């Protein structure tokens, strides 16, 4: 890199400095600050939304969500890579190229498998499960549509959601069994199980099962949704969130980004573009001279300039000034 | 090719020298709070790592049901806030002083990369806290990760996120910050812009401002 001769001063002195003291000093400042603020404010933790909690407080909505997993209307059922062959959330060719890395069949994985396990404990489930499995896809869809309509007016009574009318096939039994499983707290185990290993690190299906309305209904009042600048908001109001994401969050609000079906891909790419400009600042003509024109450096180096001026004022000896000594190549 | 050991010795000499790391004098202009911001950022990173080690030793989610661990989690949380806070102030100070001049472009780039890498480092931490914030961010942010073709990074897999946050990301960040600070030590801090009479001299086009 060429160095303009006039873009920096060369006459300055070296002054004594206790570097180790400086480093320990900043560490002590930070530790003291952090201990103080931690003692005063502790840490923000918003209780998570659990399947059990949702099944208990919102039984009808729970069944609606479970039905959407079964009938393929849910967000994950038709998501696309890396979960399945859907197209609902397919935003870019890169996403498609990745393929199915974490396969999810929402109907099977979220509903039918857990119910099949529950049927071992509750044999009354065996028959409705078999009826559903052996029905044609068209028949299943007919039941699902009818039950979905009926659920909108469903009422919760004694552990079940009751709907008016008939013609829903085995769905009332299956959905109420899912509700019971959810209310018991066993559903989470059914969703995070892994037949191959005993560790339970992967809570993917647990989280994705709740992803639609349940989480959105909880996030909206906390201003956590994307269109509410949610990325930078905390889940416990009053605490700082990820405020360093302000620029990407702002990009998400740009109308042409917000309205795009590939909003995430666009916002993140544009955000990366902004970062590139930051990173390449030293080589962007014009932009790399902005600080010089802004003149804020005059404040930052105020003492240096004052000393320099007063020395020039008292005339004489440039001789006692030395150039940079520390490794300036 | 030349002798590799000899070459390494020549390259590493200044990097590993006590003179580089324990200077007893500084340029006169590099004084005061504005020049503490980088060290405050680095100190906050040390605090993040220290509190993080205590959290990791006690196991995932211990901080959610154990009061002592909750306090450690608080110190971790606020260390992260301090880290980003001081980093932003530091970023402004190096920007407003045009600190990439005089062959310090790479120092600036490494700083920018440190910022970029710090974002997912913090984010993976939020994901393993285990509260509503973790849950919501995992399902929300996965769409962006998937869209960028990074689907192997499964935000809703707490085990993967634990490894990322506790091992992978901090290691990468440590290396980058280490390289950044090494360059600062090797090149020293940038001298002030000339003012007054000097500044009036025309700056060569295409060269100045750097
Ligand atoms: C991980 C966060 C960072 C740490 C721990 C860090 C640390 C440091 C330290 C200790 C110094 C020397 C003392 C000082 O000037 O305060 C420094 C200087 C510098 N930093 Fe950073 N930094 C970080 C992020 C950044 C970022 C985001 C940028 C810019 C994009 C940046 C650009 C620079 C530059 C250009 C210098 C040289 C300053 C000069 O010559 O006056 N740093 N950094």
């Amino acid at each position: 890199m060429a160095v303009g001769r006039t873009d920096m001063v060369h006459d300055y002195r070296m002054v004594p400095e206790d570097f180790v003291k400086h480093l320990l000093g900043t560490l002590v400042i930070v530790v003291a600050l952090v201990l103080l603020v931690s003692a005063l404010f502790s840490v923000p933790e918003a209780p998570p939304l659990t399947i059990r909690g949702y099944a208990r407080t919102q039984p009808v909505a729970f069944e609606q969500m479970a039905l959407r997993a079964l009938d393929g209307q849910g967000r994950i059922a038709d998501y696309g890579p890396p979960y399945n062959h859907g197209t609902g959330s397919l935003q870019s060719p890169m996403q498609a190229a990745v393929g199915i890395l974490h396969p999810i069949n929402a109907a099977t994985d979220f509903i039918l498998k857990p119910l099949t396990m529950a049927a071992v404990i509750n044999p009354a489930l065996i028959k409705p499960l078999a009826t559903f499995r052996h029905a044609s896809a068209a028949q299943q869809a007919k039941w699902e549509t009818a039950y979905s309509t009926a659920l909108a007016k469903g009422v919760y009574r004694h552990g079940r959601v009751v709907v008016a009318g008939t013609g829903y096939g085995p769905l009332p039994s299956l959905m109420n069994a899912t509700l019971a499983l959810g209310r018991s707290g066993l559903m989470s185990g059914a969703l995070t199980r892994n037949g191959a290993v005993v560790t339970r690190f992967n809570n993917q299906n647990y989280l994705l099962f709740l992803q639609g309305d349940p989480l959105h209904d909880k996030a909206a009042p906390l201003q956590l949704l994307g269109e509410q600048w949610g990325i930078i908001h905390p889940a416990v109001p009053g605490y700082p969130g990820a405020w360093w994401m302000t620029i990407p969050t702002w990009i998400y609000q740009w109308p042409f980004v917000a309205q795009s079906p590939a909003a995430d891909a666009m916002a993140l790419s544009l955000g990366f573009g902004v970062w590139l400009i930051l990173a390449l600042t030293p080589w962007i003509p014009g932009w790399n001279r902005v600080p010089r024109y802004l003149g804020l450096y005059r404040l930052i180096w105020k003492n240096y300039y004052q000393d320099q001026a007063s020395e020039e004022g008292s005339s004489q000896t440039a001789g006692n000034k030395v150039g940079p000594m520390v490794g300036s190549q | 090719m030349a002798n590799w050991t000899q070459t390494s010795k020549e390259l590493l000499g200044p990097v590993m020298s006590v003179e580089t790391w324990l200077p007893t004098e500084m340029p006169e202009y590099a004084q005061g709070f504005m020049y503490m911001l980088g060290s405050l950022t680095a100190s906050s990173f040390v605090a993040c790592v220290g509190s993080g080690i205590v959290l990791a030793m006690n196991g995932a989610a211990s901080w959610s049901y154990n009061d002592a661990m909750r306090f450690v989690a608080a110190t971790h949380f606020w260390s992260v806030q301090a880290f980003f806070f001081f980093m932003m102030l530091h970023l402004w100070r190096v920007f407003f002083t045009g600190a990439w001049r005089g062959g310090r472009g790479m120092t600036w780039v490494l700083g920018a990369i440190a910022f970029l890498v710090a974002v997912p480092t913090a984010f993976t931490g939020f994901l393993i806290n285990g509260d509503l914030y973790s849950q919501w961010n995992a399902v929300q942010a996965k769409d962006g990760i998937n869209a960028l073709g990074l689907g192997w990074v499964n935000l809703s897999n707490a085990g993967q996120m634990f490894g990322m946050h506790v091992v992978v990301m901090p290691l990468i960040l440590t290396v980058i910050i280490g390289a950044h600070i090494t360059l600062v030590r090797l090149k020293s801090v940038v001298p002030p812009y000339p003012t007054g009479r000097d500044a009036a001299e025309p700056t060569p086009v295409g060269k100045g401002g750097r």
Side-chain angles (χ1 to χ4, degrees):
Chain A
M1 278 201 318
V3 182
R5 279 212 59 77
T6 59
D7 70 351
M8 60 177 88
V9 300
H10 291 277
D11 53 336
Y12 57 85
R13 279 195 213 93
M14 301 299 286
V15 294
E17 157 99 10
D18 191 337
F19 194 55
V20 173
K21 200 191 267 173
H22 160 86
L23 292 182
L24 285 179
T26 57
L27 188 61
V28 167
I29 292 174
V30 165
V31 169
L33 211 70
V34 162
L35 288 177
L36 178 73
V37 177
S38 301
L40 287 178
F41 302 115
S42 188
V43 59
E45 257 198 22
L49 178 68
T50 62
I51 294 178
R52 182 172 179 269
Y54 194 65
R56 287 182 174 235
T57 52
Q58 316 247 47
V60 178
F62 182 93
E63 285 207 12
Q64 289 174 319
M65 165 182 71
L67 186 64
R68 280 195 297 273
L70 189 66
D71 69 10
Q73 307 288 316
R75 294 189 185 220
I76 292 302
D78 185 41
Y79 188 97
Y83 309 121
N84 48 45
H85 291 289
T87 50
S89 292
L90 185 53
Q91 297 195 17
S92 73
M94 289 106 74
Q95 183 175 353
V98 164
I100 315 299
L101 296 175
H102 320 295
I104 302 177
N105 177 324
T108 312
D109 293 328
F110 291 175
I111 308 296
L112 296 175
K113 273 189 188 165
L115 287 182
T116 308
M117 283 186 275
V120 176
I121 304 170
N122 178 10
L125 277 175
I126 295 174
K127 206 170 142 238
L129 267 174
T131 311
F132 185 80
R133 282 220 168 93
H134 294 135
S136 67
Q139 176 65 68
Q140 288 176 350
K142 217 165 133 193
W143 288 331
E144 285 159 355
T145 314
Y147 192 55
S148 168
T149 314
L151 264 184
K153 293 204 182 98
V155 276
Y156 176 71
R157 233 175 261 146
H158 311 301
R160 310 171 53 82
V161 172
V162 185
V163 297
T166 52
Y168 315 123
L171 286 184
S173 313
L174 294 181
M175 290 296 104
N176 278 319
T178 311
L179 178 65
L181 201 56
R183 290 169 63 84
S184 73
L186 286 170
M187 183 99 181
S188 64
L191 289 177
T192 56
R193 60 190 289 280
N194 179 335
V197 290
V198 294
T199 41
R200 294 287 181 272
F201 287 148
N202 190 350
N203 39 350
Q204 169 187 286
N205 288 4
Y206 182 100
L207 290 174
L208 297 188
F209 177 62
L210 284 172
Q211 116 151 90
D213 290 351
L215 277 174
H216 281 76
D217 291 348
K218 191 131 179 160
L222 292 166
Q223 306 288 310
L224 289 177
L225 301 184
E227 63 266 27
Q228 299 169 325
W229 294 69
I231 304 172
I232 56 173
H233 291 155
V236 181
Y239 281 86
W243 50 268
W244 46 87
M245 295 288 286
T246 301
I247 291 178
T249 310
W250 172 56
I251 294 175
Y252 266 99
Q253 316 303 316
W254 297 358
F256 78 96
V257 175
Q259 281 145 28
S260 161
D264 299 289
M266 275 171 94
L268 293 180
S269 310
L270 288 168
F272 185 73
V274 173
W275 176 82
L276 264 185
I277 294 175
L278 175 81
L280 298 178
T281 298
W283 299 277
I284 299 177
W287 172 236
N288 64 6
R289 310 192 52 175
V290 165
R292 183 167 187 172
Y293 295 128
L294 286 178
L296 271 159
Y297 67 87
R298 285 166 204 273
L299 285 177
I300 296 171
W301 286 315
K302 199 165 140 221
N303 291 340
Y304 169 76
Y305 289 131
Q306 269 170 4
D307 291 353
Q308 210 188 25
S310 66
E311 260 169 51
E312 265 172 33
S314 66
S315 73
Q316 45 88 27
T317 56
N320 63 2
K321 288 207 169 184
V322 293
M325 311 227 1
V326 180
S328 61
Q329 23 72 282
Chain B
M1 226 190 130
N3 185 319
W4 293 8
T5 310
Q6 194 58 41
T7 311
S8 306
K9 225 170 148 176
E10 276 155 27
L11 286 175
L12 288 179
V15 175
M16 305 187 90
S17 141
V18 208
E19 294 306 318
T20 305
W21 290 104
L22 297 175
T24 49
E25 46 178 26
M26 286 280 166
E28 58 177 319
Y29 54 81
Q31 304 290 321
F33 183 63
M34 287 295 155
Y35 279 84
M36 282 169 71
L37 293 169
S39 304
L40 284 167
T41 314
S43 298
S44 307
F45 185 66
V46 171
C48 290
V49 173
S51 51
I53 288 174
V54 181
L55 292 174
M57 279 195 300
N58 285 274
S62 60
W63 48 83
S64 291
Y65 46 76
N66 176 313
D67 280 345
M69 290 309 298
R70 208 179 159 77
F71 181 75
V72 181
T75 62
H76 195 60
F77 174 85
W78 291 107
S79 305
V80 174
Q81 291 291 335
F83 174 70
F84 278 98
F85 177 72
F86 290 127
M87 195 202 303
M88 282 308 122
L89 294 185
H90 170 63
L91 172 57
W92 289 344
R93 121 80 176 110
V94 291
F95 177 77
F96 290 130
T97 54
W100 50 80
R101 288 168 297 134
R104 292 170 180 80
M106 209 51 213
T107 314
W108 171 274
V109 169
L110 281 166
I113 296 177
F115 177 25
L116 187 71
V117 172
V119 169
T121 308
F123 187 73
T124 48
F126 288 133
L127 293 185
I128 58 174
N129 189 37
D131 71 339
L132 179 72
Y133 195 66
S134 307
Q135 192 176 23
W136 173 251
N137 280 298
V139 298
Q140 280 298 94
K142 75 173 189 320
D143 299 338
I145 297 282
N146 292 337
L148 295 182
L150 298 174
W152 61 275
V153 181
N154 189 352
L155 301 187
S156 52
N157 183 335
Q160 187 182 9
M161 290 309 109
F162 190 85
M164 285 282 189
H165 181 69
V166 174
V167 180
V168 182
M169 300 310 300
L171 268 185
I172 298 175
L173 195 51
T174 303
V175 171
I176 294 166
I177 293 176
H180 177 67
I181 296 179
T182 304
L183 278 190
V184 178
R185 285 308 317 143
L186 289 177
K187 294 190 182 290
S188 183
V189 282
V190 76
Y193 283 111
T195 52
R197 192 164 29 80
D198 317 335
E201 286 171 30
T203 309
V205 175
K207 284 189 170 180
R210 289 227 174 135

